[in-house]
Short mmCIF file of all heavy atoms in Angstrom, two decimals:
data_model
loop_
_atom_site.label_atom_id
_atom_site.label_comp_id
_atom_site.label_asym_id
_atom_site.label_seq_id
_atom_site.Cartn_x
_atom_site.Cartn_y
_atom_site.Cartn_z
N LEU R 11 -25.59 21.84 -17.57
CA LEU R 11 -24.38 21.08 -17.88
C LEU R 11 -23.41 21.18 -16.71
O LEU R 11 -23.42 22.16 -15.97
CB LEU R 11 -23.74 21.57 -19.18
CG LEU R 11 -23.18 22.99 -19.22
CD1 LEU R 11 -21.73 23.03 -18.80
CD2 LEU R 11 -23.32 23.58 -20.62
N SER R 12 -22.61 20.15 -16.57
CA SER R 12 -21.55 20.15 -15.57
C SER R 12 -20.21 20.21 -16.27
O SER R 12 -19.98 19.47 -17.24
CB SER R 12 -21.63 18.88 -14.71
OG SER R 12 -22.82 18.85 -13.97
N ALA R 13 -19.35 21.08 -15.81
CA ALA R 13 -18.05 21.25 -16.44
C ALA R 13 -17.01 21.61 -15.39
O ALA R 13 -17.34 22.03 -14.28
CB ALA R 13 -18.13 22.32 -17.52
N SER R 14 -15.77 21.44 -15.77
CA SER R 14 -14.65 21.73 -14.88
C SER R 14 -13.98 23.04 -15.27
O SER R 14 -14.08 23.48 -16.43
CB SER R 14 -13.63 20.59 -14.94
OG SER R 14 -14.21 19.37 -14.56
N VAL R 15 -13.30 23.63 -14.31
CA VAL R 15 -12.52 24.83 -14.60
C VAL R 15 -11.52 24.50 -15.71
O VAL R 15 -10.86 23.46 -15.68
CB VAL R 15 -11.80 25.32 -13.34
CG1 VAL R 15 -10.83 26.45 -13.67
CG2 VAL R 15 -12.81 25.78 -12.29
N GLY R 16 -11.47 25.37 -16.70
CA GLY R 16 -10.58 25.18 -17.83
C GLY R 16 -11.24 24.54 -19.04
O GLY R 16 -10.68 24.57 -20.14
N ASP R 17 -12.41 23.96 -18.87
CA ASP R 17 -13.13 23.34 -19.99
C ASP R 17 -13.63 24.39 -20.96
O ASP R 17 -13.90 25.53 -20.60
CB ASP R 17 -14.33 22.53 -19.49
CG ASP R 17 -13.96 21.21 -18.85
OD1 ASP R 17 -12.76 20.84 -18.91
OD2 ASP R 17 -14.86 20.56 -18.30
N ARG R 18 -13.82 23.96 -22.21
CA ARG R 18 -14.53 24.77 -23.19
C ARG R 18 -15.99 24.38 -23.13
O ARG R 18 -16.33 23.18 -23.15
CB ARG R 18 -13.98 24.55 -24.61
CG ARG R 18 -14.72 25.38 -25.65
CD ARG R 18 -14.16 25.22 -27.05
NE ARG R 18 -14.85 26.04 -28.02
CZ ARG R 18 -14.56 27.31 -28.27
NH1 ARG R 18 -13.56 27.91 -27.60
NH2 ARG R 18 -15.23 28.00 -29.18
N VAL R 19 -16.86 25.38 -23.08
CA VAL R 19 -18.29 25.15 -22.95
C VAL R 19 -19.01 25.83 -24.11
O VAL R 19 -18.68 26.96 -24.48
CB VAL R 19 -18.80 25.71 -21.60
CG1 VAL R 19 -20.32 25.75 -21.56
CG2 VAL R 19 -18.25 24.89 -20.44
N THR R 20 -20.00 25.12 -24.66
CA THR R 20 -20.81 25.69 -25.74
C THR R 20 -22.28 25.50 -25.41
O THR R 20 -22.72 24.40 -25.05
CB THR R 20 -20.49 25.01 -27.08
OG1 THR R 20 -19.11 25.26 -27.40
CG2 THR R 20 -21.36 25.59 -28.19
N ILE R 21 -23.03 26.58 -25.52
CA ILE R 21 -24.48 26.58 -25.30
C ILE R 21 -25.14 27.00 -26.61
O ILE R 21 -24.68 27.92 -27.29
CB ILE R 21 -24.85 27.57 -24.18
CG1 ILE R 21 -24.19 27.14 -22.86
CG2 ILE R 21 -26.36 27.66 -24.02
CD1 ILE R 21 -24.26 28.20 -21.77
N THR R 22 -26.21 26.32 -26.95
CA THR R 22 -26.92 26.56 -28.20
C THR R 22 -28.28 27.20 -27.95
O THR R 22 -28.96 26.87 -26.96
CB THR R 22 -27.11 25.25 -28.97
OG1 THR R 22 -25.82 24.73 -29.32
CG2 THR R 22 -27.93 25.44 -30.22
N TRP R 35 -27.03 37.55 -25.35
CA TRP R 35 -26.79 36.57 -24.29
C TRP R 35 -26.58 37.31 -22.96
O TRP R 35 -25.85 38.30 -22.90
CB TRP R 35 -25.54 35.75 -24.59
CG TRP R 35 -25.67 34.79 -25.73
CD1 TRP R 35 -25.30 34.98 -27.03
CD2 TRP R 35 -26.20 33.46 -25.67
NE1 TRP R 35 -25.58 33.87 -27.77
CE2 TRP R 35 -26.12 32.92 -26.96
CE3 TRP R 35 -26.74 32.68 -24.64
CZ2 TRP R 35 -26.56 31.62 -27.27
CZ3 TRP R 35 -27.17 31.40 -24.93
CH2 TRP R 35 -27.08 30.88 -26.23
N TYR R 36 -27.20 36.76 -21.92
CA TYR R 36 -27.07 37.32 -20.57
C TYR R 36 -26.61 36.22 -19.61
O TYR R 36 -26.98 35.05 -19.77
CB TYR R 36 -28.41 37.88 -20.08
CG TYR R 36 -28.94 39.00 -20.93
CD1 TYR R 36 -29.76 38.74 -22.03
CD2 TYR R 36 -28.62 40.33 -20.66
CE1 TYR R 36 -30.24 39.77 -22.82
CE2 TYR R 36 -29.11 41.36 -21.44
CZ TYR R 36 -29.91 41.07 -22.52
OH TYR R 36 -30.38 42.10 -23.32
N GLN R 37 -25.84 36.64 -18.62
CA GLN R 37 -25.41 35.76 -17.54
C GLN R 37 -26.11 36.18 -16.26
O GLN R 37 -26.21 37.38 -15.98
CB GLN R 37 -23.89 35.89 -17.34
CG GLN R 37 -23.32 35.09 -16.19
CD GLN R 37 -21.90 35.54 -15.84
OE1 GLN R 37 -21.69 36.68 -15.43
NE2 GLN R 37 -20.94 34.65 -16.05
N GLN R 38 -26.60 35.21 -15.50
CA GLN R 38 -27.22 35.54 -14.23
C GLN R 38 -26.69 34.62 -13.13
O GLN R 38 -26.74 33.40 -13.26
CB GLN R 38 -28.75 35.42 -14.29
CG GLN R 38 -29.43 35.91 -13.02
CD GLN R 38 -30.94 35.79 -13.07
OE1 GLN R 38 -31.48 34.86 -13.64
NE2 GLN R 38 -31.63 36.73 -12.44
N LYS R 39 -26.19 35.24 -12.08
CA LYS R 39 -25.76 34.50 -10.91
C LYS R 39 -26.86 34.51 -9.86
O LYS R 39 -27.70 35.42 -9.85
CB LYS R 39 -24.45 35.09 -10.38
CG LYS R 39 -23.32 34.97 -11.39
CD LYS R 39 -22.03 35.55 -10.89
CE LYS R 39 -20.94 35.39 -11.95
NZ LYS R 39 -19.64 35.97 -11.51
N LEU R 47 -23.74 39.90 -21.83
CA LEU R 47 -22.44 39.39 -22.28
C LEU R 47 -22.18 39.71 -23.75
O LEU R 47 -21.13 40.22 -24.12
CB LEU R 47 -22.39 37.86 -22.11
CG LEU R 47 -22.51 37.26 -20.72
CD1 LEU R 47 -22.52 35.75 -20.83
CD2 LEU R 47 -21.38 37.75 -19.83
N ILE R 48 -23.14 39.32 -24.59
CA ILE R 48 -23.01 39.38 -26.04
C ILE R 48 -24.27 40.03 -26.61
O ILE R 48 -25.38 39.68 -26.20
CB ILE R 48 -22.86 37.97 -26.65
CG1 ILE R 48 -21.65 37.23 -26.08
CG2 ILE R 48 -22.81 38.03 -28.18
CD1 ILE R 48 -20.32 37.68 -26.63
N LEU R 54 -19.07 41.53 -28.33
CA LEU R 54 -18.77 41.40 -26.91
C LEU R 54 -19.06 42.71 -26.19
O LEU R 54 -18.54 43.76 -26.58
CB LEU R 54 -17.31 41.00 -26.73
CG LEU R 54 -16.85 40.54 -25.36
CD1 LEU R 54 -17.49 39.21 -24.98
CD2 LEU R 54 -15.33 40.42 -25.31
N VAL R 58 -16.61 42.64 -20.68
CA VAL R 58 -16.80 41.18 -20.60
C VAL R 58 -15.52 40.48 -21.07
O VAL R 58 -14.97 40.84 -22.11
CB VAL R 58 -18.01 40.74 -21.45
CG1 VAL R 58 -18.13 39.22 -21.50
CG2 VAL R 58 -19.29 41.36 -20.90
N PRO R 59 -15.07 39.49 -20.33
CA PRO R 59 -13.80 38.82 -20.70
C PRO R 59 -13.87 38.20 -22.10
O PRO R 59 -14.92 37.69 -22.53
CB PRO R 59 -13.66 37.73 -19.63
CG PRO R 59 -14.43 38.23 -18.46
CD PRO R 59 -15.58 39.00 -19.04
N SER R 60 -12.74 38.18 -22.76
CA SER R 60 -12.67 37.71 -24.15
C SER R 60 -12.83 36.20 -24.27
O SER R 60 -12.93 35.68 -25.39
CB SER R 60 -11.35 38.14 -24.79
OG SER R 60 -10.26 37.61 -24.06
N ARG R 61 -12.87 35.48 -23.17
CA ARG R 61 -13.13 34.04 -23.26
C ARG R 61 -14.58 33.75 -23.67
O ARG R 61 -14.89 32.62 -24.06
CB ARG R 61 -12.81 33.33 -21.95
CG ARG R 61 -13.63 33.76 -20.75
CD ARG R 61 -13.20 33.00 -19.49
NE ARG R 61 -13.97 33.42 -18.31
CZ ARG R 61 -13.62 34.43 -17.54
NH1 ARG R 61 -12.53 35.12 -17.81
NH2 ARG R 61 -14.36 34.74 -16.48
N PHE R 62 -15.43 34.76 -23.56
CA PHE R 62 -16.81 34.62 -24.04
C PHE R 62 -16.88 35.03 -25.51
O PHE R 62 -16.32 36.04 -25.91
CB PHE R 62 -17.76 35.51 -23.23
CG PHE R 62 -17.95 35.07 -21.81
CD1 PHE R 62 -17.16 35.60 -20.80
CD2 PHE R 62 -18.92 34.14 -21.47
CE1 PHE R 62 -17.33 35.20 -19.47
CE2 PHE R 62 -19.11 33.73 -20.16
CZ PHE R 62 -18.30 34.25 -19.17
N SER R 63 -17.59 34.23 -26.29
CA SER R 63 -17.81 34.58 -27.69
C SER R 63 -19.17 34.05 -28.13
O SER R 63 -19.70 33.08 -27.57
CB SER R 63 -16.70 34.04 -28.58
OG SER R 63 -16.71 32.62 -28.56
N GLY R 64 -19.72 34.71 -29.13
CA GLY R 64 -21.01 34.30 -29.69
C GLY R 64 -20.94 34.22 -31.19
O GLY R 64 -20.13 34.90 -31.83
N SER R 65 -21.78 33.36 -31.74
CA SER R 65 -21.82 33.22 -33.19
C SER R 65 -23.22 32.81 -33.62
O SER R 65 -24.06 32.43 -32.79
CB SER R 65 -20.80 32.19 -33.68
OG SER R 65 -21.13 30.90 -33.19
N THR R 72 -24.81 30.23 -30.97
CA THR R 72 -24.06 29.59 -29.91
C THR R 72 -23.34 30.63 -29.05
O THR R 72 -22.92 31.67 -29.54
CB THR R 72 -23.02 28.60 -30.45
OG1 THR R 72 -22.10 29.30 -31.30
CG2 THR R 72 -23.66 27.47 -31.20
N LEU R 73 -23.23 30.29 -27.78
CA LEU R 73 -22.40 31.02 -26.83
C LEU R 73 -21.29 30.07 -26.41
O LEU R 73 -21.58 28.93 -26.02
CB LEU R 73 -23.20 31.45 -25.61
CG LEU R 73 -22.39 32.08 -24.46
CD1 LEU R 73 -21.85 33.45 -24.85
CD2 LEU R 73 -23.23 32.18 -23.19
N SER R 74 -20.07 30.51 -26.51
CA SER R 74 -18.93 29.68 -26.12
C SER R 74 -18.12 30.37 -25.03
O SER R 74 -17.97 31.59 -25.04
CB SER R 74 -18.03 29.40 -27.33
OG SER R 74 -18.72 28.64 -28.30
N ILE R 75 -17.64 29.56 -24.12
CA ILE R 75 -16.69 30.01 -23.11
C ILE R 75 -15.43 29.18 -23.34
O ILE R 75 -15.46 27.96 -23.22
CB ILE R 75 -17.21 29.81 -21.69
CG1 ILE R 75 -18.64 30.40 -21.55
CG2 ILE R 75 -16.28 30.47 -20.67
CD1 ILE R 75 -19.31 30.08 -20.22
N SER R 76 -14.34 29.83 -23.70
CA SER R 76 -13.17 29.10 -24.17
C SER R 76 -12.46 28.33 -23.05
O SER R 76 -11.97 27.22 -23.27
CB SER R 76 -12.18 30.05 -24.84
OG SER R 76 -11.76 31.04 -23.91
N SER R 77 -12.43 28.91 -21.86
CA SER R 77 -11.77 28.25 -20.74
C SER R 77 -12.53 28.65 -19.48
O SER R 77 -12.35 29.76 -18.96
CB SER R 77 -10.31 28.67 -20.64
OG SER R 77 -9.68 28.08 -19.50
N LEU R 78 -13.38 27.76 -19.01
CA LEU R 78 -14.31 28.08 -17.92
C LEU R 78 -13.56 28.47 -16.65
O LEU R 78 -12.61 27.78 -16.23
CB LEU R 78 -15.20 26.87 -17.67
CG LEU R 78 -16.51 27.09 -16.93
CD1 LEU R 78 -17.45 27.97 -17.74
CD2 LEU R 78 -17.15 25.74 -16.63
N GLN R 79 -13.98 29.58 -16.08
CA GLN R 79 -13.40 30.08 -14.83
C GLN R 79 -14.40 29.91 -13.68
O GLN R 79 -15.60 29.81 -13.92
CB GLN R 79 -12.99 31.54 -14.98
CG GLN R 79 -11.92 31.76 -16.04
CD GLN R 79 -10.65 30.98 -15.75
OE1 GLN R 79 -10.02 31.16 -14.71
NE2 GLN R 79 -10.28 30.08 -16.66
N PRO R 80 -13.91 29.91 -12.44
CA PRO R 80 -14.82 29.70 -11.30
C PRO R 80 -15.98 30.70 -11.28
O PRO R 80 -17.10 30.34 -10.89
CB PRO R 80 -13.91 29.90 -10.09
CG PRO R 80 -12.55 29.52 -10.58
CD PRO R 80 -12.50 29.98 -12.01
N GLU R 81 -15.74 31.94 -11.72
CA GLU R 81 -16.79 32.96 -11.68
C GLU R 81 -17.81 32.80 -12.81
O GLU R 81 -18.78 33.55 -12.87
CB GLU R 81 -16.16 34.36 -11.73
CG GLU R 81 -15.34 34.66 -12.95
CD GLU R 81 -13.86 34.34 -12.75
OE1 GLU R 81 -13.53 33.42 -11.96
OE2 GLU R 81 -13.03 35.02 -13.38
N ASP R 82 -17.59 31.84 -13.70
CA ASP R 82 -18.51 31.64 -14.82
C ASP R 82 -19.64 30.68 -14.50
O ASP R 82 -20.54 30.50 -15.34
CB ASP R 82 -17.75 31.12 -16.04
CG ASP R 82 -16.65 32.05 -16.50
OD1 ASP R 82 -16.74 33.27 -16.19
OD2 ASP R 82 -15.71 31.58 -17.16
N PHE R 83 -19.60 30.07 -13.34
CA PHE R 83 -20.69 29.16 -12.98
C PHE R 83 -21.92 30.00 -12.67
O PHE R 83 -21.95 30.78 -11.72
CB PHE R 83 -20.27 28.25 -11.83
CG PHE R 83 -19.20 27.28 -12.24
CD1 PHE R 83 -17.85 27.56 -12.04
CD2 PHE R 83 -19.53 26.11 -12.90
CE1 PHE R 83 -16.86 26.69 -12.45
CE2 PHE R 83 -18.55 25.22 -13.31
CZ PHE R 83 -17.21 25.51 -13.09
N ALA R 84 -22.93 29.84 -13.53
CA ALA R 84 -24.09 30.73 -13.54
C ALA R 84 -25.12 30.15 -14.49
O ALA R 84 -24.91 29.07 -15.07
CB ALA R 84 -23.67 32.12 -14.00
N THR R 85 -26.22 30.88 -14.66
CA THR R 85 -27.22 30.51 -15.66
C THR R 85 -27.14 31.51 -16.80
O THR R 85 -27.01 32.72 -16.58
CB THR R 85 -28.63 30.50 -15.04
OG1 THR R 85 -28.67 29.54 -13.97
CG2 THR R 85 -29.67 30.12 -16.09
N TYR R 86 -27.23 31.00 -18.01
CA TYR R 86 -27.09 31.82 -19.21
C TYR R 86 -28.40 31.80 -20.00
O TYR R 86 -29.01 30.74 -20.17
CB TYR R 86 -25.93 31.29 -20.07
CG TYR R 86 -24.61 31.46 -19.37
CD1 TYR R 86 -24.16 30.51 -18.46
CD2 TYR R 86 -23.82 32.59 -19.59
CE1 TYR R 86 -22.96 30.67 -17.78
CE2 TYR R 86 -22.62 32.77 -18.92
CZ TYR R 86 -22.20 31.79 -18.01
OH TYR R 86 -21.01 31.98 -17.35
N TYR R 87 -28.80 32.98 -20.44
CA TYR R 87 -30.05 33.14 -21.20
C TYR R 87 -29.78 33.81 -22.54
O TYR R 87 -29.03 34.78 -22.61
CB TYR R 87 -31.04 34.02 -20.45
CG TYR R 87 -31.56 33.46 -19.15
CD1 TYR R 87 -30.93 33.75 -17.95
CD2 TYR R 87 -32.70 32.64 -19.12
CE1 TYR R 87 -31.40 33.24 -16.75
CE2 TYR R 87 -33.18 32.13 -17.92
CZ TYR R 87 -32.52 32.42 -16.75
OH TYR R 87 -33.00 31.92 -15.56
N THR R 102 -29.71 28.09 -19.42
CA THR R 102 -28.78 26.97 -19.30
C THR R 102 -27.95 27.18 -18.05
O THR R 102 -27.24 28.18 -17.93
CB THR R 102 -27.84 26.87 -20.51
OG1 THR R 102 -28.61 26.58 -21.69
CG2 THR R 102 -26.80 25.78 -20.30
N LYS R 103 -28.06 26.26 -17.12
CA LYS R 103 -27.32 26.36 -15.86
C LYS R 103 -26.00 25.64 -16.00
O LYS R 103 -25.96 24.44 -16.32
CB LYS R 103 -28.13 25.77 -14.71
CG LYS R 103 -27.50 25.99 -13.35
CD LYS R 103 -28.42 25.51 -12.24
CE LYS R 103 -27.84 25.81 -10.86
NZ LYS R 103 -28.77 25.39 -9.77
N VAL R 104 -24.92 26.36 -15.77
CA VAL R 104 -23.58 25.79 -15.84
C VAL R 104 -23.10 25.53 -14.42
O VAL R 104 -22.95 26.46 -13.62
CB VAL R 104 -22.62 26.72 -16.59
CG1 VAL R 104 -21.20 26.15 -16.59
CG2 VAL R 104 -23.10 26.94 -18.02
N GLU R 105 -22.89 24.26 -14.12
CA GLU R 105 -22.53 23.85 -12.77
C GLU R 105 -21.12 23.27 -12.73
O GLU R 105 -20.58 22.85 -13.76
CB GLU R 105 -23.54 22.82 -12.26
CG GLU R 105 -24.96 23.36 -12.18
CD GLU R 105 -25.97 22.31 -11.79
OE1 GLU R 105 -26.10 21.30 -12.50
OE2 GLU R 105 -26.65 22.52 -10.76
#
Side-chain angles (χ1 to χ4, degrees):
Chain R
L11 66 90
S12 296
S14 301
V15 172
D17 285 352
R18 180 178 182 85
V19 168
T20 298
I21 298 168
T22 297
W35 290 96
Y36 298 89
Q37 176 195 64
Q38 187 180 35
K39 297 180 179 179
L47 297 177
I48 301 284
L54 192 67
V58 174
S60 59
R61 62 181 179 272
F62 291 93
S63 64
S65 65
T72 60
L73 172 70
S74 296
I75 309 172
S76 60
S77 177
L78 200 65
Q79 298 301 300
E81 60 268 30
D82 301 337
F83 292 95
T85 300
Y86 294 84
Y87 295 92
T102 296
K103 187 174 184 178
V104 177
E105 299 175 301

